[in-house]
Amino acid sequence: QVQLQQSGPGLVKPSQTLSLTCAISGDMITNNNADWTWIRQSPSRGLEWLGRTYYRSKWYNDYAESVKSRISINPDTSKNEFSLHLSSVTPEDTAVYFCARFLVPGSTYNYYDFWGQGTLVTVSS
Amino acid sequence: DIQMTQSPSSLSASVGDRVTITCRASKSISDYLNWYQQKPGKAPDLLMYGTSSLHSGVPSRFSGSGSGTEFTLTISSLHPEDFATYFCQQSYGAPYTFGQGTKVESK
């Protein structure tokens, strides 16, 4: 059974960097059939895809246009985890942040099958 | 980006009712449509993928249909544990966008 365990602070000051980590158990971050994703949820934006990191013989990243200039998602193969860094945060970045596995089986459908527990991050001074 | 629009945004129903939720995509996504159920304070749970394939362990009272730009999720007979918020999500192309959600409440 795959489990994703999130960690990181729940309060970040405006203009600072939001950093969260997602530790993976039951799967390898180098799984060629998985994208490791960060999604956030807020009343104003709903469920918003932020970006992903994935391994297909080498590492790739994709980011949402809305945060592309401020975001970095980094895999750590030694710890089997991946992290989210979102810089220059404002109160609009206040949300529940989820990590999730997007299963990409190849010839069939893709979907989010395992999620972290969610972390409420509040941006406030 | 592909926009996903759900209707209604909320509905009130009773145990035993048949419930239908609609999801529309801003362009054709073939049948690359997933449905999730979310309860308060929890992450979404996968219900259905590929429009109509039930995820492991999901009861058969849930069904999905559609193709192209219009899709439906149907609960044939609402159970108490089905009161939740439901989201559609397209897996046709990144960014894999979600609908805004439909909250199913008790009448």
Side-chain angles (χ1 to χ4, degrees):
Chain A
Q1 176 82 339
V2 176
Q3 289 189 313
L4 304 178
Q5 180 66 41
Q6 298 177 218
S7 59
L11 180 64
V12 181
K13 289 182 166 48
S15 81
Q16 294 193 342
T17 296
L18 179 163
S19 295
L20 296 173
T21 299
C22 183
I24 304 163
S25 57
D27 194 4
M28 299 300 294
I29 195 168
T30 50
N31 182 351
N32 278 279
N33 297 122
D35 298 349
W36 304 97
T37 307
W38 287 98
I39 293 164
R40 67 183 178 185
Q41 186 174 30
S42 64
S44 57
R45 294 174 177 264
L47 283 163
E48 182 184 12
W49 182 89
L50 295 176
R52 60 179 173 173
T53 189
Y54 57 101
Y55 187 77
R56 304 289 188 270
S57 303
K58 68 174 188 175
W59 287 102
Y60 294 87
N61 288 297
D62 261 336
Y63 301 124
E65 283 297 324
S66 60
V67 295
K68 199 167 190 174
S69 62
R70 303 191 289 129
I71 191 172
S72 174
I73 296 176
N74 305 118
D76 186 334
T77 55
S78 66
K79 295 180 179 178
N80 206 37
E81 64 186 28
F82 61 109
S83 59
L84 167 70
H85 302 280
L86 187 65
S87 64
S88 306
V89 296
T90 71
E92 289 218 338
D93 294 309
T94 294
V96 177
Y97 286 75
F98 294 100
C99 60
R101 184 179 85 163
F102 190 61
L103 191 65
V104 185
S107 59
T108 59
Y109 301 102
N110 311 331
Y111 43 79
Y112 295 104
D113 58 350
F114 292 100
W115 297 65
Q117 78 273 25
T119 302
L120 172 60
V121 179
T122 302
V123 178
S124 174
S125 53
Chain B
D1 296 0
I2 299 172
Q3 307 302 317
M4 306 301 292
T5 304
Q6 286 180 237
S7 60
S9 54
S10 66
L11 63 90
S12 296
S14 300
V15 171
D17 284 353
R18 181 182 182 87
V19 168
T20 299
I21 299 168
T22 297
C23 177
R24 289 186 174 85
S26 60
K27 60 172 267 191
S28 177
I29 58 171
S30 184
D31 58 354
Y32 290 91
L33 191 282
N34 304 323
W35 289 97
Y36 300 83
Q37 178 193 69
Q38 187 179 33
K39 295 186 177 176
K42 300 291 188 183
D45 285 324
L46 177 66
L47 279 180
M48 203 166 310
Y49 60 91
T51 297
S52 60
S53 295
L54 285 177
H55 185 52
S56 174
V58 175
S60 58
R61 63 181 179 272
F62 290 91
S63 63
S65 63
S67 67
T69 61
E70 189 152 337
F71 303 86
T72 59
L73 171 70
T74 299
I75 309 172
S76 60
S77 178
L78 200 65
H79 283 212
E81 62 267 31
D82 300 337
F83 293 106
T85 302
Y86 294 84
F87 295 92
C88 61
Q89 176 246 328
Q90 62 84 13
S91 60
Y92 183 80
Y96 302 111
T97 42
F98 292 84
Q100 80 279 15
T102 297
K103 188 173 185 179
V104 177
E105 299 174 299
S106 178
K107 189 182 288 185

